[in-house]
Amino acid sequence: MTEIPKAYEPGEVEQKWYCFWMEQGYFTPKIDRRKKPFVIIMPPPNVTGELHLGHALTATLEDIMIRWHRMKGEPALWLPGVDHAGIATQVVVEQKLADEGLDRHKLGREKFIERVWEWVNKSRQSITYQHQRLGASCDWTRERFTLDEEPSRAVRTAFVRLYNKGLIYQGERIINWCPRCQTAISDLEVQHKDITGNLYYLRYPLADSEGYVTVATTRPETYLGDTAVAVNPDDQRFKALVGKKVVLPVIGRVIPIIADSAVDPSFGTGAVKITPGHDPVDFEMSERQHLPVINILNPDGTMNEQAGPYAGLDRFVCRQKVLADFEKAGLLEKVETHHHSVGHCGRCQTMVEPEVSKQWFVKVAPLAEAAIKAVTGGQIAIVPERFTKVYLNWMENIRDWCISRQLWWGHRIPVWYCPKCDEMTVTVDKPSTCSHCGSKDIIQDPDVLDTWFSSALWPHSTLGWPENTEDLRYFYPTSVMETGYDILFFWVARMIMMGLEDTGDIPFHTVYLHGLIRDEKGEKMSKMRGNVLNPNNAIDEYGTDALRFAVTTGTSPGNDINLGPHRLEAGRNFANKMWNAARFVFHSLEANPIESGALAKLAAKRSKPIEDRWILSRLSRLILSVDELMSNFQFGEAERQIHDFFWGEFCDWYIEIAKIRLSRSDFSPLPVLAFTLDTTLRLLHPFMPFITEELWQNLKQRLPEDSLASASIIIAPYPVGNKKFIDAEAELVMESVIEIIRSIRNARAEHKVAAGKWIEACVYADKLQPAIALKSEAIETLAKARPLAVLSRHQRRAKEEKALVLVLKEAEVVLPWAGMVDVVAERRRLEEETSTVDKEISRLEQRLKDAAFVSKAPAAVVDKERDKLQGYKDKLLRLKQELAQLN
Ligand SMILES: [Zn+2]
Ligand SMILES: [Zn+2]
């Protein structure tokens, strides 16, 4: 038997058991066709670095589900992985290169990719290690990286299939261009910031008469790309101008004035400049109106040759120069302050430019249709349900997805161009010749795919698709996709679309969305605010189980979590409480070993002491409740209930009463103590895996060999509720006993009775009197009440006794003043307090009579004063009653 240390040392315990679980292969499920597996594919963290609290929450919630299902005997697969995180990773490595005075262009594509791999391999190890510290019981033998050969093949296969179906096309569209990253980024990757800028009113002279048209813009330099001025056809102010032409100042291009009903007559002057090359709305209009499209920017954000004399200038320098030239010519009519939202690159914070560009797109509408049906038809449930509406709303208005990125790090687009015949070869495996003319001179598209393209295939690509593997047949569709609500569109929606498209089946049955972690005050955690809590540091300081407890207890799906030192301390305190309670049980078992079969016999014995019947009844109710909560994804509430049971009912009451009985030989509480400890440890294991394993193994050593059969709590059966144990009568009696003890303790505290002092008490009850009387010793010991009498109400002594009377639900407690307090001193105390309260009452009454105060002060302040007054009046009444009792 191993000696159990006095205090819980998480670090050592955690490492020991994680290694043990790994060695035993518990994380790898056995494929068993007779059983339905439970499967979670881990959202792959970006390979860009340290895990944050969001990852800790994800890992904890998924581990809770996986451990729970594993203990229920289901083959439970949790497949871990890491995402190459295209743009995010490339930006990080580029920054490292910049520190060395290098950039990717100097290095060249091949060397640059080598550098990225070097860095990625280091980073991956650290991510794995951090997951292991969190206790994540994922199947490391199946770990995947998005750039591994199999997932990469899945990516190419999916691309080619969509292309062949006409669902991937190349086209000119307005995309968001980041001049720093020099790539297109998707709408979702753009961060909108509200800024105060200017609205410039520019005059465009008419081409063949006097006068001008004034247009308003926030980006004056884009006038260089204008191909029309548009007005609303119903706008009487401009009727005569439609069909005429204006000349763009400086560059002299002549453009038409057109009518289009999309123009909002209330914006600016009512006449708007049309810049199809740099505005999505204008681009749409240009297609309708057959206007030319001009791109005025180089990839790095400088002006290109279309800008005439401004060519080569940075876009912001150009803006100032354009404004100066307009002003000089008397063509800058006015400048107004203007609040508007401007898109920035989510990775590097550079202001993005909407611009026309040739890119690859997925035609999403046909894919969205099936994905909508999967949710409205009930095949996929979203938890919490309120996100269903958000999902459907987005899917119904979805736009084509730009999937090409001008990056080097990622999956190369499987398209080869032939300069000889100008055709494309689109194929999964690298071709050696053009599929059209057979030329060997072919060039692969330089672009890579949006990271989210490979993420969208994650549930099936990790299981082997496009091959029909055993894993794919057995584990797909998966059970739950657990992730943050902030990536519902980026990721979840796209997995549903691509899963259905590629496999013909949904990727998962349930989407579980967790909230965001905020700081203790509810503020977003950010490096700028300095309120970021690093999970590694939290583990060092409080232990993994405490961190897991802190991020999940009492939380509910989809709601944000406020986390700070208080919750972590609560987690550590709970671990210590469990440790101490368990140590007590262990020492008791060492002193009085229980006989073989004692635990099994518990259910059969009916003549148990009432507190045994009570704790087993409460435990059964707890198990039934936990099962229901877990089935409904209410893990935080389940954990809270287990915590409350263990701390409150088990430690504070059952163990305290059991201590009294341990000195006796009849009815040892040890089998119930051991049984309850074993059961609660198993209930709690999915939430706090390390301390529960450590304590459970110690318990196992101290019980007869046949008691706990499993080799580890991780594969021990999850407790199943037994309604037979539910015992309403025992609950009623014990609730009453607890209430009696509690009320005497409160009275002692209120009247400042010294802790060691015994006081006399008399309990009167009706139908529960015989049962309560049996618990006299517990009441005596725990309330420090002696002599104690438990009588039935008709035996109630004469009314004139000088005593404090406590009226409870099922009983009345009478505490004679004599012996409890010094009557003279107590009277003086009560009288003093009465006089203070009297003064407060008259002060408040005076105040509330003051018409000026009542009419001028905010209603809430007046109400508060009224509440205070009522509170004092109630207190006065109580004090008077107590005084009367004393007299
Ligand atoms: Zn950028
Ligand atoms: Zn060719």
Side-chain angles (χ1 to χ4, degrees), residues 146 210 465 490 531 659 681 729 829:
T146 44
E210 288 294 301
W465 186 89
F490 266 117
N531 59 353
K659 281 179 183 166
L681 288 175
E729 188 201 350
R829 187 181 74 80

Side-chain angles (χ1 to χ4, degrees), residues 476-582:
Y476 192 88
T478 68
S479 312
V480 178
M481 173 45 66
E482 190 281 339
T483 188
Y485 66 69
D486 51 333
I487 51 173
L488 181 61
F489 306 134
F490 266 117
W491 193 37
V492 178
R494 287 165 178 170
M495 279 190 285
I496 298 176
M497 289 192 280
M498 294 304 290
L500 283 163
E501 171 62 24
D502 286 344
T503 71
D505 207 342
I506 52 169
F508 30 72
H509 294 288
T510 304
V511 176
Y512 175 104
L513 299 170
H514 64 242
L516 305 179
I517 298 189
R518 299 172 180 276
D519 76 1
E520 224 154 11
K521 293 184 213 117
E523 303 238 14
K524 225 176 155 174
M525 287 193 181
S526 73
K527 277 190 189 143
M528 290 249 291
R529 288 198 180 93
N531 59 353
V532 176
L533 221 153
N534 178 308
N536 265 320
N537 300 346
I539 291 175
D540 290 340
E541 196 173 345
Y542 300 95
T544 298
D545 288 333
L547 172 64
R548 292 171 61 118
F549 179 90
V551 293
T552 53
T553 304
T555 65
S556 54
N559 292 331
D560 291 352
I561 300 154
N562 295 349
L563 184 77
H566 283 106
R567 285 181 71 100
L568 287 160
E569 277 158 24
R572 183 172 59 191
N573 292 345
F574 183 41
N576 289 338
K577 184 83 182 175
M578 284 163 63
W579 190 261
N580 291 332

Side-chain angles (χ1 to χ4, degrees), residues 200-220:
Y200 303 95
Y201 286 76
L202 308 179
R203 287 173 176 165
Y204 293 173
L206 292 171
D208 39 18
S209 54
E210 288 294 301
Y212 47 80
V213 175
T214 305
V215 294
T217 178
T218 56
R219 297 183 294 160

Side-chain angles (χ1 to χ4, degrees), residues 417-425 433-439 441-442:
Y417 302 102
C418 172
K420 202 168 153 205
C421 73
D422 244 6
E423 293 283 349
M424 284 188 278
T425 304
T433 56
C434 168
S435 60
H436 301 272
C437 71
S439 163
D441 176 22
I442 49 172

